[in-house]
Amino acid sequence: MRIGVPKEIKVHEYRVGMTPAAVREAEHHGHEVLVQSEAGLGIGLYDEDYRAAGATIVDSAEEIFARADMIVKVKEPQPGEWKMLRENQILFTYLHLAPDPEQARGLLDSGCIAIAYETVTDSRGGLPLLAPMSEVAGRMSIQAGAHCLEIAQGGRGQLLGGVPGVPAAKVVILGGGVSGTNAARMAMGLEAHVTVIDLNLHRLYELDTRFGASLNTIYSTVDSIEEHVLGADLVVGAVLVPGAAAPKLVSEAMVKQMKKGSVLVDIAIDQGGCFATSHATTHAEPTYVKHDVVHYCVANMPGAVARTSTFALNNATLPFTLALADKGYRQAMLDNPHLLAGLNIHKGELTYRAVSDALGVPWRDAGSVLAA
């Protein structure tokens, strides 16, 4: 199979779909890899590194899309890229379609086969291609939040961990999954007072067992969210419903009642955000202030540490990329129900229910589509 790796064009996005090591592995499996010139330049992966791994370097994204059987990216395709996709071409990347009807329509119209990293599953019920970036985003959320609490950034002027004789900040994390757990770990490491709120009692038990008295675990209700958010200095939104739009857990009325200069970091912004006052920002302008509360809502947070993120992501995606190339997408998915769960769009049809529910677009079961 001919695999194409275009340069990412989202604002301040420096990650790349395949590293030279991944390219070499694909070449070892008998596939051809086309990499756009300077695709990895921002993170120190040079064209000569890709050539040494066996890739063919091409000048333009247009050539990549025109020649490749499968496109491997990181971020969702931008409008100019939708138009270059063609019928029967495989697209393997993050999609986050639920809050993005325009992208969904563009992919449906293209006739491509779009497989979303974020909905591929594993045997333990996890999301193995989302987990590495959730780890990065969770850890970054505390770095970003601590920075936003500084006076110069519009915050309260509070040091997250305090100092002897001065209280540490109160950090509330909505969601105890991969990103929430990593956020909690970082916040506790900085000696903040940390509370995780989640609906899953078993998960709360696991967190309590793992972190002990250093972490406060609370069952999620409207009342408990309101109580803890209003008393917080930093709130991290780390909720996830796989493939679906994030629920709005913090209303605008609640934001208005928060302390002046407190901070909201919305990790869920890729799926529409879990704060009513959230809207996506970029690394160029990461924050805004609304109702005297600083909002950090960067839609590609891991892109700020693009080298770490690229290698972590490739470790997870490579086995699936090789399966798609070795067997063809249809057989690879029929052989692996976890990869099948990643199929969101197939030749003009939506194949993921949570996206259908969010967009109000008819869908067909992915398994029945492939069987037909």
Side-chain angles (χ1 to χ4, degrees):
M1 182 178 286
R2 183 176 288 156
I3 303 168
V5 183
K7 185 176 182 178
E8 298 292 328
I9 60 174
K10 191 163 186 170
V11 177
H12 286 275
E13 181 54 74
Y14 303 104
R15 288 174 289 179
V16 62
M18 294 181 74
T19 63
V23 169
R24 185 177 179 185
E25 200 69 20
E27 293 279 342
H28 180 70
H29 279 240
H31 307 294
E32 180 184 359
V33 184
L34 309 177
V35 177
Q36 187 178 349
S37 181
E38 300 187 347
L41 181 63
I43 56 173
L45 300 178
Y46 303 110
D47 288 353
E48 51 265 37
D49 299 324
Y50 282 104
R51 286 194 185 96
T56 300
I57 303 299
V58 300
D59 292 331
S60 68
E62 288 80 4
E63 185 175 357
I64 294 279
F65 279 84
R67 294 176 59 188
D69 304 305
M70 175 166 64
I71 301 293
V72 177
K73 281 176 41 65
V74 178
K75 288 307 291 177
E76 70 279 357
Q78 303 301 294
E81 293 174 314
W82 307 338
K83 297 170 185 175
M84 292 189 283
L85 286 164
R86 64 179 190 273
E87 191 172 352
N88 297 324
Q89 192 170 43
I90 303 165
L91 172 66
F92 193 34
T93 189
Y94 287 116
L95 294 177
H96 301 294
L97 293 176
D100 195 350
E102 188 179 1
Q103 184 203 167
R105 176 48 54 194
L107 297 184
L108 287 167
D109 289 345
S110 74
C112 76
I113 297 102
I115 305 163
Y117 290 163
E118 72 272 11
T119 63
V120 173
T121 59
D122 63 23
S123 58
R124 299 180 299 277
L127 301 170
L129 307 191
L130 188 61
M133 297 304 94
S134 295
E135 291 168 354
V136 171
R139 296 182 183 211
M140 281 192 64
S141 69
I142 302 303
Q143 293 180 196
H147 183 56
C148 291
L149 279 169
E150 297 172 12
I151 284 283
Q153 309 306 315
R156 288 168 52 78
Q158 187 165 8
L159 183 65
L160 203 66
V163 293
V166 181
K170 293 180 180 178
V171 177
V172 173
I173 300 166
L174 304 179
V178 175
S179 57
T181 299
N182 278 270
R185 179 180 172 185
M186 293 294 285
M188 286 185 291
L190 291 172
E191 300 184 359
H193 294 297
V194 185
T195 298
V196 171
I197 300 177
D198 200 285
L199 275 171
N200 187 327
L201 282 174
H202 179 68
R203 184 59 182 157
L204 293 177
Y205 174 80
E206 289 178 334
L207 291 170
D208 182 75
T209 301
R210 178 174 176 181
F211 296 114
S214 300
L215 179 65
N216 186 34
T217 56
I218 299 293
Y219 182 73
S220 180
T221 65
V222 173
D223 190 67
S224 65
I225 291 173
E226 181 176 290
E227 175 187 349
H228 289 276
V229 166
L230 295 187
D233 302 297
L234 167 61
V235 181
V236 176
V239 298
L240 174 68
V241 180
K248 302 295 183 186
L249 299 183
V250 176
S251 67
E252 186 163 2
M254 290 169 62
V255 175
K256 289 179 180 178
Q257 296 177 66
M258 292 179 68
K259 292 183 282 190
K260 181 179 179 180
S262 55
V263 175
L264 297 174
V265 177
D266 201 339
I267 297 176
I269 194 65
D270 277 326
Q271 295 294 132
C274 62
F275 307 131
T277 48
S278 292
H279 64 75
T281 61
T282 68
H283 290 295
E285 295 183 42
T287 65
Y288 59 93
V289 177
K290 187 164 186 176
H291 305 311
D292 294 322
V293 174
V294 182
H295 293 62
Y296 181 99
C297 304
V298 175
N300 59 329
M301 285 178 65
V305 287
R307 186 175 176 89
T308 295
S309 298
T310 292
F311 282 93
L313 181 61
N314 268 246
N315 290 342
T317 58
L318 181 58
F320 295 97
T321 301
L322 294 176
L324 290 166
D326 290 347
K327 299 179 179 181
Y329 80 90
R330 185 175 180 277
Q331 193 60 51
M333 291 184 174
L334 291 175
D335 289 348
N336 186 345
H338 302 298
L339 180 55
L340 178 62
L343 185 62
N344 279 213
I345 287 175
H346 183 271
K347 300 182 183 181
E349 292 186 295
L350 191 64
T351 55
Y352 199 81
R353 182 168 187 170
V355 175
S356 170
D357 291 343
L359 301 183
V361 176
W363 75 291
R364 286 182 62 199
D365 176 75
S368 64
V369 167
L370 292 189

